[in-house]
Every structure is written in C-alpha cells, then in structure tokens.
Amino acid sequence: GQNIDQPTEMTATEGAIVQINCTYQTSGFNGLFWYQQHAGEAPTFLSYNVLDGLEEKGRFSSFLSRSKGYSYLLLKELQMKDSASYLCAVRDGDYKLSFGAGTTVTVRA
Amino acid sequence: ETGVTQTPRHLVMGMTNKKSLKCEQHLGHNAMYWYKQSAKKPLELMFVYNFKEQTENNSVPSRFSPECPNSSHLFLHLHTLQPEDSALYLCASSQEIAGGHEQYFGPGTRLTVT
C-alpha cells in the first residue's frame, strides 16, 4: 500500500508564510501533486513536481526530494482566501494518484 | 469552474433505493475517475476509465457500479447502500498521454444514506 503523511492542521497569520510538509512511501513514483480544496468545493490543482528541486508559481512554491520521499508546499504572503485544505498526492503509476488526508490551513487576521 | 460537472450536488437515499450519479467533462480528456472522500480521510480512488475502458477497480463493493458510455460521461450507479457509504463522491478527468498530467475535479455529490 501507499503511505502519505501530512499534518492535520496549521494556523498562521495573514501576511505570514506557512510550509506544509508531506512525506511519502510508495511502490513507484511518477510525480507529486498539490491540490487546494475549499470547504464544499472541488480540489483544484496547484503544483506538480517530478524532478528534485523547487517549483515557484506566484505566492505558492513546491519542493521535492525524491531520495528523501519528501515534499513541501510553501504559501507566502498569506491571505484570508488561502484558508483551505491542502492535499498532497503521489502518482505511483500511469494514472493512479494516492492522496494524503489533507492539511487544513486557517489564516487569522 | 473546472470544466467537470456533477449532478446531483446533494443526494439523500435509503438503503433500499437505487440512484445514479452523473459526471460530465467538457475538457476533451480521455481518462475519468471516481473518488470517495470521507471526513478526515484521504481521497479514495474507486474506478478509473481510460478511453472508455475500465482500467482500475480499487476493490470497490459491487453495490457501486460504474458506467462510461463515452469519454465525456461517467456514471456511478448505486443500490442497497450502507450508512457508511455516506460521503462526498468526486469525479475527475485528465488527459493521459505521457503521464504527469493533473486531474480536474468536479464539485462532488454529497451522499447521505439513511
């Protein structure tokens, strides 16, 4: 089976930075995805890493270390609208994604 | 709006009922998926269809029956469900060519089994 771990909850202040860690143990690896899911809405794609290193996209960055089975999602200049659940997902085959349970981020004023 | 629609958005059904969930994608993708999302648990992959052919059945009970008549539509037929089947059911699609393509999710159907 697949094992993907991420913290359950994180709280941060508006304007701050938050880093959400994800560790994984999977039978194969073909990329790691981060999704954002607001309450009652569909998950939406944020980032994709398949090679080691940092991918930056505006206020959001994602890092991957394949040798360590580790990724993080960095959210900078936090805004109230960033309050959501953040899902780490590992692709272990041609189509199959295995998801972590998600990290609920609460941004306080 | 992600280009993936699901109906109904909410469904309450008894254990003896038969109902169907519908998903439609307007993105020209060739792969479609059903996921189950329960509170505080990871998304669970249920079924995968690629070019209308089922390529994955993740040990799902037979009371869930998928149907994919074409690459744009996906159904999940439900019968004799149990209360523990209450969850958010998400449909997703992707364009699978060389791998590494993100999945686009619909808004989900919130199912309550009474």
Side-chain angles (χ1 to χ4, degrees), chain B residues 45-46 57-61:
Chain B
L45 179 66
M46 300 175 72
N57 176 339
N58 208 23
S59 303
V60 180

Side-chain angles (χ1 to χ4, degrees), chain A residues 33-62:
Chain A
F33 296 79
W34 284 96
Y35 284 83
Q36 180 191 60
Q37 186 177 22
H38 286 99
E41 297 183 13
T44 55
F45 169 75
L46 287 179
S47 68
Y48 169 67
N49 295 71
V50 66
L51 300 176
D52 290 351
L54 187 68
E55 295 283 340
E56 297 187 81
K57 191 184 292 185
R59 294 187 299 112
F60 293 0
S61 303
S62 57

Side-chain angles (χ1 to χ4, degrees), chain B residues 7-99:
Chain B
T7 55
R9 294 294 307 277
H10 300 272
L11 178 63
V12 179
M13 59 186 289
M15 288 189 284
T16 59
N17 291 157
K18 288 185 180 181
K19 297 287 184 183
S20 295
L21 310 185
K22 179 182 176 182
C23 175
E24 182 174 1
Q25 57 98 356
H26 312 273
L27 301 168
H29 289 165
N30 57 17
M32 297 187 76
Y33 313 78
W34 279 117
Y35 287 89
K36 175 183 179 183
Q37 187 175 35
S38 303
K40 305 299 183 185
K41 293 176 67 175
L43 265 74
E44 300 172 48
L45 179 66
M46 300 175 72
F47 300 104
V48 180
Y49 278 82
N50 187 30
F51 290 104
K52 302 185 298 178
E53 299 296 321
Q54 187 179 122
T55 58
E56 184 85 26
N57 176 339
N58 208 23
S59 303
V60 180
S62 60
R63 56 186 184 270
F64 295 92
S65 174
E67 178 190 359
C68 188
N70 55 61
S71 57
S72 298
H73 294 86
L74 186 64
F75 296 89
L76 188 62
H77 304 299
L78 316 172
H79 65 98
T80 54
L81 294 191
Q82 304 298 311
E84 60 264 28
D85 296 324
S86 297
L88 181 68
Y89 288 85
L90 291 163
C91 173
S93 72
S94 67
Q95 183 63 17
E96 297 296 331
I97 301 176

